[in-house]
Amino acid sequence: MVRLVLRRLAWTGPLLFVVSVLCFLLISLVPGDPARTVLGPLAPPEQVEALHRQMGLDRPLTVQYLSWLADAVHGDLGRSVSTGTAVAPLIASRLAPTVSLILLTTLTVGVVGTALGVLSAVRGGPLGRLVDVASVVGLAVPGFWLALVLITWLAVRWRLFPATGYVPFGESPVGWLRSLALPVTATSLAAVTAVAKQTRDAMLDVLSRDFVRVMQANGLSTRSIVYRHALRTAAVPVVALLGVISASLLGATVLIENIFGLPGLGSGAALAAAQHDIPVLQGAVVCYTLIVVAIGLLADLAQAWLDPRVGAR
């Protein structure tokens, strides 16, 4: 287990370096001028050039990146072009909504999807066919469309949940849950059906193995066989899928946070891209990379706990 953690952490530094280089190069290719964004389209060229020199944009890209990297190693991600505030505190202030959305969505997907998959595998029949149909429907329904439907019915018409905004957990746990209920529901649909399908297939495979027949012959109850033995074995591929889903949610947060007005990393990155705010966008990408590394590490640890052979590889 320790070797697994060290191996994953050893890749973190090179991964961050590669991602930051690619992000810096791609951002530099995007049309737009940060100095012109700050000063406005009618600013005289002399002021634009002066701001270029002040921001260091007149230097070669290699020098700009190395300067940013030297500061980033010491925790300084620069300052926002549009607001002038430090990027690191700005990213930290937007981290809680995004992490809350990812954690609640992953928990919802894991619990609901696993429960549906186990029930359909054990009972079979119409419930199994329903899971198959729901998996196709869930993948076909766009998340943004479902988000708009939820806002129309549950926020505007029935006023059960707020349509936009975010309430910090420390301010009100109930308000925190209500502010994330609709975003989590809109993000979870496709993932729940995918996990249910994966769980059902894995459970059917495990329940057909010889050790299950031996336990049945020895008189063990169906509940004990399913929940104490079969589910642990079937959970290994399910946990791997949950890790992939959690990482993919980072892309979905950009759209969902903008629809529901959540002040998270996704909406901040979208705003920074529109304003050509390179330091904020670069900091958001680095933060996203760290979250993906953390998710992958947690998924690997969970798989190693369920199956020690995973940690030995």
Side-chain angles (χ1 to χ4, degrees), residues 53-129:
R53 291 190 296 271
Q54 180 181 343
M55 299 170 64
L57 298 177
D58 58 331
R59 299 177 296 174
L61 284 178
T62 305
V63 177
Q64 294 182 41
Y65 173 75
L66 291 177
S67 177
W68 175 88
L69 183 62
D71 293 335
V73 170
H74 296 89
D76 183 8
L77 298 177
R79 290 189 170 274
S80 169
V81 172
S82 57
T83 63
T85 58
V87 172
L90 181 63
I91 295 295
S93 67
R94 289 181 169 270
L95 191 59
T98 299
V99 172
S100 298
L101 178 59
I102 294 174
L103 287 178
L104 277 181
T105 302
T106 304
L107 181 63
T108 302
V109 169
V111 173
V112 178
T114 302
L116 287 175
V118 171
L119 286 175
S120 64
V122 173
R123 296 187 178 182
L127 185 58
R129 290 190 291 271

Side-chain angles (χ1 to χ4, degrees), residues 82-239:
S82 57
T83 63
T85 58
V87 172
L90 181 63
I91 295 295
S93 67
R94 289 181 169 270
L95 191 59
T98 299
V99 172
S100 298
L101 178 59
I102 294 174
L103 287 178
L104 277 181
T105 302
T106 304
L107 181 63
T108 302
V109 169
V111 173
V112 178
T114 302
L116 287 175
V118 171
L119 286 175
S120 64
V122 173
R123 296 187 178 182
L127 185 58
R129 290 190 291 271
L130 179 62
V131 169
D132 290 336
V133 174
S135 64
V136 176
V137 174
L139 293 174
V141 174
F144 70 89
W145 178 83
L146 181 59
L148 296 176
V149 171
L150 291 174
I151 290 175
T152 302
W153 285 94
L154 300 181
V156 177
R157 179 164 298 186
W158 293 339
R159 300 183 182 275
L160 298 177
F161 300 98
T164 58
Y166 173 77
V167 178
F169 181 84
E171 181 177 325
S172 172
V174 176
W176 176 74
L177 281 174
R178 294 185 73 250
S179 65
L180 290 173
L182 296 185
V184 167
T185 303
T187 313
S188 300
L189 178 62
V192 164
T193 56
V195 170
K197 174 68 172 169
Q198 177 67 53
T199 304
R200 175 174 174 266
D201 294 342
M203 284 293 296
L204 289 175
D205 176 65
V206 173
L207 292 174
S208 65
R209 296 182 185 179
D210 293 337
F211 79 92
V212 174
R213 297 191 185 95
V214 171
M215 287 187 290
Q216 290 173 339
N218 289 333
L220 270 70
S221 65
T222 302
R223 180 184 296 272
S224 177
I225 293 174
V226 170
Y227 294 104
R228 293 186 59 184
H229 302 281
L231 183 57
R232 183 185 180 100
T233 304
V236 175
V238 176
V239 169

